[in-house]
Amino acid sequence: MLRRAGLAWAFVVGLPAVGAAVDGSNSTPSIFAPVSTPAFAIRELAFFVLGITGVIFAVVAGLTLYTIVRYRRRPGDRASEPPQVYGSMQIELAWTVVPFLIVVVLFLVTARYIWSIDARPQPPGAVEVTIVGNQWWWEIRYPKLGIVTANELHVPASDPASPTPTFVTLQSVDVIHSFWVPQLAGKMDVVPNKTNRVWIDPRTPGTYVGQCAEYCGLQHGLMLLIVVVHPREEFDRWVVAQQAPARDDPSARHGRELFASLACINCHTVRGTPANGVFGPDLTHLMTRWTIGAGAARNTHENLRAWVNDPAALKRGALMPAMKVSRADLDTLTNYLVTLK
Ligand code: CUA
């Protein structure tokens, strides 16, 4: 059931393959299956609000039904209006004061939850990540670890006994996006010229799916964000692997030289090579990622070739231009890219 819902979601974001690519049933993005403190708090608050509004619904709908049945028109009724009530101080006070008090309670409880999430100080062991919204992909930087990647956030699981939360700084280079991984934290807007923050402390390793939640242009629907929560040792291994410079596969030397001679290097970085552009995703460890174009396609050799040939065919409006290289050069380039593990 969960798995099916995960696939349904992947289909909604235009990526039928992600359900299969992202292992495990955790890929269902539901606010009712939290694994991180802010998301637990949000679920609690949601149940509280649902409870109060549920009672209001039951009272209003119940009284309405009762009235409809009890005072329905019967044969022999005289067609006259019931007595009309005007200017009753008691009734007007009741239907003003009671809803006002309910709204005050909802407001105060919500404010308290928001405050308790915001007030959490950053502990010394926290992982720091800066996520930058782009049209239409996420740049993910670990400033203290010297790692730059894209669209897939890796964090350690956080044991409540000795928490290792991840504190995320959110920035945008173009328009307003919104960071939302329902199982980990609430929505947070990603606004140009403003820095927002969220923190997460996922307790359960697994893969969680998020998506840009603020309409940001043509490919808003293809701003998939995959969050991989690793057990601590696994995360440390991931860090070491990502910190390494790009592989220098001798069999792909020709492709690397071709890559370095093309405009690719103005936008992309491959650490350890002349490519140091910053407009597009860092490609140093490109092949460790599941998708191309923030969920536009599975990251396979074949799809990568199609992407380099013409990104717009997979993701219309993508800012990367078609490289217009010959078929032979396209093969050479792609054969190089797939060595970037
Ligand atoms: Cu970015 Cu919607």
Side-chain angles (χ1 to χ4, degrees):
M1 177 62 194
L2 277 175
R3 175 117 193 128
R4 290 237 316 274
L7 287 171
W9 166 265
F11 185 73
V12 165
V13 300
L15 183 60
V18 135
V22 178
D23 57 297
S25 55
N26 290 337
S27 58
T28 310
S30 165
I31 67 157
F32 295 108
V35 297
S36 166
T37 303
F40 278 113
I42 287 168
R43 181 178 64 173
E44 240 172 68
L45 182 59
F47 280 144
F48 177 75
V49 173
L50 276 175
I52 288 188
T53 50
V55 169
I56 295 172
F57 174 79
V59 168
V60 172
L63 284 175
T64 307
L65 276 176
Y66 172 79
T67 311
I68 288 171
V69 175
R70 172 78 179 76
Y71 298 104
R72 70 186 184 280
R73 188 166 190 172
R74 294 187 172 86
D77 277 356
R78 282 176 298 123
S80 65
E81 273 195 350
Q84 301 295 298
V85 179
Y86 296 102
S88 163
M89 184 63 103
Q90 285 96 328
I91 293 176
E92 280 172 20
L93 271 179
W95 73 42
T96 307
V97 172
V98 173
F100 178 75
L101 289 179
I102 293 173
V103 169
V104 167
V105 168
L106 290 176
F107 170 78
L108 290 179
V109 173
T110 307
R112 205 183 130 171
Y113 271 89
I114 293 175
W115 186 83
S116 77
I117 293 172
D118 281 355
R120 166 91 173 239
Q122 181 174 329
V127 175
E128 282 180 25
V129 185
T130 300
I131 298 187
V132 185
N134 286 258
Q135 280 180 317
W136 294 276
W137 59 283
W138 306 97
E139 182 176 59
I140 298 173
R141 291 196 221 125
Y142 298 74
K144 288 196 173 155
L145 301 174
I147 296 171
V148 183
T149 181
N151 304 322
E152 287 168 25
L153 173 65
H154 292 252
V155 300
S158 179
D159 177 1
S162 59
T164 49
T166 299
F167 277 67
V168 183
T169 300
L170 295 166
Q171 292 169 339
S172 170
V173 297
D174 39 44
V175 299
I176 302 177
H177 305 273
S178 177
F179 174 88
W180 193 34
V181 187
Q183 280 158 282
L184 302 183
K187 262 179 214 173
M188 183 59 80
D189 275 2
V190 182
V191 184
N193 300 317
K194 180 170 171 23
T195 295
N196 281 338
R197 289 196 168 78
V198 289
W199 61 272
I200 54 175
D201 62 345
R203 297 168 197 183
T204 324
T207 306
Y208 305 95
V209 178
Q211 162 66 28
C212 180
E214 176 76 40
Y215 180 70
C216 55
L218 186 61
Q219 293 294 354
H220 157 68
L222 277 181
M223 260 185 93
L224 184 72
L225 180 69
I226 295 170
V227 182
V228 185
V229 177
H230 300 276
R232 185 72 214 198
E233 317 76 65
E234 198 180 287
F235 175 74
D236 292 339
R237 283 201 298 277
W238 178 83
V239 167
V240 170
Q242 292 287 319
Q243 282 172 334
R247 283 198 192 186
D248 187 2
D249 190 328
S251 71
R253 177 147 301 158
H254 186 45
R256 190 171 56 252
E257 282 160 8
L258 178 60
F259 184 83
S261 73
L262 292 168
C264 310
I265 59 171
N266 296 335
C267 292
H268 294 287
T269 291
V270 179
R271 254 183 306 121
T273 79
N276 61 0
V278 293
F279 296 113
D282 186 300
L283 302 181
T284 309
H285 298 289
L286 167 68
M287 296 315 287
T288 62
R289 306 202 279 260
W290 269 308
T291 76
I292 307 171
R298 283 286 302 281
N299 189 9
T300 63
H301 193 146
E302 203 181 317
N303 288 341
L304 204 52
R305 189 181 187 278
W307 176 266
V308 175
N309 185 45
D310 184 11
L314 290 169
K315 188 171 182 178
R316 195 174 344 149
L319 294 186
M320 173 167 156
M323 291 311 293
K324 299 208 166 62
V325 290
S326 70
R327 288 178 81 91
D329 282 355
L330 186 58
D331 287 331
T332 311
L333 269 182
T334 316
N335 288 339
Y336 164 58
L337 291 176
V338 297
T339 66
L340 300 175
K341 292 186 176 133

